[in-house]
Amino acid sequence: MRKTLPDRYYLDHFHEFLSFFDGANRVLLTDDARDFIDRFKALDDNAQCIVARAASRKYAVVVVKTFQYQEIQAPIETLFLLRQQNWFSRVLNGGAYAISQVLTKPHLHQLLLENGIKMPASASKNVLVDTFTEAYSKGAITESGELDSQYLFCEFDAVLRFLLFLYFGHTRGRLNQFSMRDLGVMRTRQDAITDSARFEHREAAVNAYHYANALQQFKSMNTEQKRNFDPVVDKPVYCAIGHDYRDRLLFAMGQFWLSEDNHKALGYLKLAGSDNAREKWIRETYKAGNKDAAKETLEAIIDDPSSDTLLAFAEDFYQRKFGSKRTSVLTDMLREATRVISLDESYIQDVENGVVETHLRENKQAFRTENTLWRTLFGLFFWDWLHGEFGLVSEFDRRPQVLRHNDFYARCGEHIDAHLAEYCNSPDTLYPYLLKQATTHYGKVNSVFMWRQGLLDTIHTFLQYVDIQGLANFLRMMTQDYANLRDGFPDIMVIENDTLWFEEIKAPGDQLRRNQLVTIQRLKQTGFNVGITQVNWYQDPMQPYVVVDIETTGGQGPQHRITEVGMVKMINGEEVARWQSLINPMRHIPYRITQLTGISDDMVVDAPPFEAVADDIDAFTRGCVFVAHNVNFDYGFIKQEFARLARPFRRPKLCTCARMRQHQSGLASYSLKALTRHFGIRLDNHHRALDDALAAAELLKIIQGEG
């Protein structure tokens, strides 16, 4: 197969990009956009390659000398011929930002000098950029002289950015994403694309782009430019994209003007319809002393809320500022926690798993669920809509359109209700459907959930105990307001005596966020039992600890393997079990390691490989704190061995070396051998796993005050 030449490669991408506008999206094109495409197609291949190359650059100002491509005939001559045809023009048409980003420091200095602005040769690039930007904004830069032969402005930049917006649905899209796709850097959804338009009609697209472009410009401006920025903000919007960008523009301008002109800031914030803008307006209005206006707006939101999140804010703010209550809903939920649990402090970095292990020791079923359970259910159940007609417009879309714009139920409500009625009537009906969906689509890129082994295991258990109608009602709620119900789910699911409930775990200092409040309230509304479990830390004498030591073929690294594992289980300062085995590392043991440990190739030739004892190690350490001297070494090797088997391994850790440094400061050495000598602990066969584990167990007892 002939190797694609670099310039043809860029041209192929540009043709692929433009083909997007041959189908359903052609009706969205403005006259300028349609003219640009037709003019481009009329160019010969040589000229098309030049335009495609320029279009792929980051900025609309391009450097002439960089167009010296061997695959293009007479590239510089072609470039200036295209300038005569108005594809390119003088550099000063490029705008202050693009010019200042592309021009070199000497050329910026030259440009300022040609326009009568003298700057010292020692001036930094940043100083030159600021000086140039200010002068350009005042119309003081009019001459570019010989720089017009070295830099050019892409006259098609404005129309190209509009086309990119139509294709990607936002202003961050660039043509180089096609190259990133081909190189495997970026995964796309080529399998899920249909010929559908992102907007219903041209005016919706044009006005949405107006606000998106204005927002992009505003973000790139300096303070003085923002003060003088006065975009049109009364263009009608016809779609969720347009509303989103208009609200974001107004919110950004309102935020900026808060420190400059409060009245103007409140005006912009009130025009915006987003939740964050309305909340900000209420807070700032109340702060400014206009409490009646804030109260009236809060009451209107409570009577007719636009979202659960805004309603939660309005009810809470109203109660605290205008009612008798002095605490927030969040604080009340924490005070009314359904359960308080004391957890061993070794779980400080792994609190949710600590609570799960506590439940398991009490003979309950317990699972980490959080957002994973619900988003997987949602993503699989509604897959055909999310990745069908209402899903992705271009292969670079990550989030289905109906989720991005939060109008899934508004668009597909009748079909959603029918789908729920058909499959959410019994676990015996729902689970096979989910299994079929997972089997059909496994591994496909999506933005709702992550594929992983055992994806449906927890869901299968969940469906055996759930109220199926309550589940159907909550899934419907997610389609109605996915933006506010896509996260904030409780941390764990617990089952005892055929009763299922969820728990949100809060350690000391943790706060309940508003998104968690909204989600928990909606779960309760649909009949789910949800509580908040507050954790207190203490040293639990009945918390099992497994003291581990391993021997290996060498230092940490993927090429080295375990040769021996020794483990001692401790509860309340007493040994309750031990486990030891040589391990066949499936590679040669270096002579120096044999000298150190005494373990040779002959000793391990008949020993089990790690995969044969993985279940034993997993079971022996489950529910325990993983303890070792320099724990990250032993833990890292064992986790690496489990990873080779595509199995997770996660335990809370405790390091006897680090704890001894805290417990006994000032010792000359904290090696295992030195510490056993210091404390008179027996260590017969140093560098054999079980003997070292037994010695470290004695150190653990000292740390815990038992020895």
Side-chain angles (χ1 to χ4, degrees), residues 603-620:
M603 290 174 62
V604 299
V605 67
D606 294 323
F610 188 88
E611 63 184 12
V613 298
D615 287 343
D616 291 340
I617 293 173
D618 182 51
F620 195 86

Side-chain angles (χ1 to χ4, degrees), residues 326-514:
R326 299 182 60 84
T327 58
S328 68
V329 175
L330 304 179
T331 302
D332 289 344
M333 287 197 71
L334 281 175
R335 288 181 175 178
E336 297 169 6
T338 59
R339 185 169 186 251
V340 177
I341 181 174
S342 294
L343 197 64
D344 188 81
E345 61 185 14
S346 58
Y347 286 97
I348 284 178
Q349 301 299 323
D350 200 16
V351 59
E352 291 86 2
N353 279 337
V355 177
V356 167
E357 297 295 349
T358 300
H359 283 304
L360 293 176
R361 289 199 298 271
E362 295 171 352
N363 296 318
K364 304 170 189 172
Q365 296 185 69
F367 308 83
R368 285 287 301 275
T369 51
E370 205 167 3
N371 300 325
T372 302
L373 170 70
W374 298 97
R375 291 178 66 153
T376 303
L377 274 166
F378 180 85
L380 288 176
F381 190 74
F382 294 113
W383 184 281
D384 295 342
W385 285 274
L386 299 178
H387 301 90
E389 178 184 356
F390 302 102
L392 312 181
V393 176
S394 85
E395 65 180 280
F396 294 92
D397 285 346
R398 305 297 291 180
R399 186 184 301 177
Q401 297 302 297
V402 290
L403 300 188
R404 180 182 175 189
H405 308 308
N406 207 31
D407 59 355
F408 190 11
Y409 193 81
R411 283 192 175 195
C412 312
E414 184 177 341
H415 298 292
I416 288 169
D417 288 339
H419 194 54
L420 288 168
E422 181 177 0
Y423 291 104
C424 273
N425 50 55
S426 164
D428 295 334
T429 304
L430 179 55
Y431 184 74
Y433 177 75
L434 296 174
L435 182 61
K436 175 188 172 184
Q437 292 291 83
T439 303
T440 302
H441 303 292
Y442 190 85
K444 292 181 181 178
V445 179
N446 75 93
S447 65
V448 179
F449 64 93
M450 296 287 291
W451 295 104
R452 57 179 176 79
Q453 284 191 327
L455 183 74
L456 294 181
D457 292 349
T458 303
I459 290 176
H460 187 250
T461 303
F462 170 70
L463 293 179
Q464 295 176 43
Y465 300 96
V466 72
D467 171 37
I468 200 72
Q469 190 55 53
L471 174 60
N473 291 337
F474 191 82
L475 287 173
R476 183 181 292 105
M477 281 187 175
M478 290 183 73
T479 67
Q480 293 167 340
D481 191 12
Y482 183 78
N484 292 305
L485 290 177
R486 68 177 184 267
D487 54 20
F489 290 96
D491 295 306
I492 66 173
M493 177 178 76
V494 186
I495 300 167
E496 183 181 32
N497 298 327
D498 295 333
T499 300
L500 177 146
W501 72 90
F502 291 93
E503 293 182 9
E504 175 64 28
I505 312 302
K506 291 300 173 188
D510 287 350
Q511 294 182 342
L512 192 67
R513 300 186 302 274
R514 188 182 300 159

Side-chain angles (χ1 to χ4, degrees), residues 96-97 99-101 108-109 112 117 119 123-138 141 220-225:
Y97 181 72
I99 294 171
S100 65
Q101 294 300 307
L108 266 179
H109 196 280
L112 288 168
I117 302 172
M119 296 292 293
S124 67
K125 175 76 179 284
N126 288 339
V127 170
L128 293 176
V129 168
D130 291 342
T131 304
F132 168 76
T133 300
E134 182 179 0
Y136 188 93
S137 66
K138 295 178 179 178
I141 305 294
S220 67
M221 291 176 176
N222 60 34
T223 299
E224 186 59 32
Q225 289 172 323

Side-chain angles (χ1 to χ4, degrees), residues 198-201 204-205 208 236-244 405 411:
R198 201 177 296 279
F199 301 91
E200 291 188 8
H201 52 80
V237 288
Y238 302 94
C239 60
I241 297 178
H243 280 290
D244 177 52
H405 308 308
R411 283 192 175 195

Side-chain angles (χ1 to χ4, degrees), residues 31-52:
D31 293 341
D32 287 344
R34 188 173 284 119
D35 181 61
F36 166 79
I37 294 173
D38 293 343
R39 287 179 62 217
F40 176 81
K41 290 180 178 179
L43 294 173
D44 60 34
D45 274 9
N46 222 37
Q48 283 189 356
C49 282
I50 292 289
V51 173

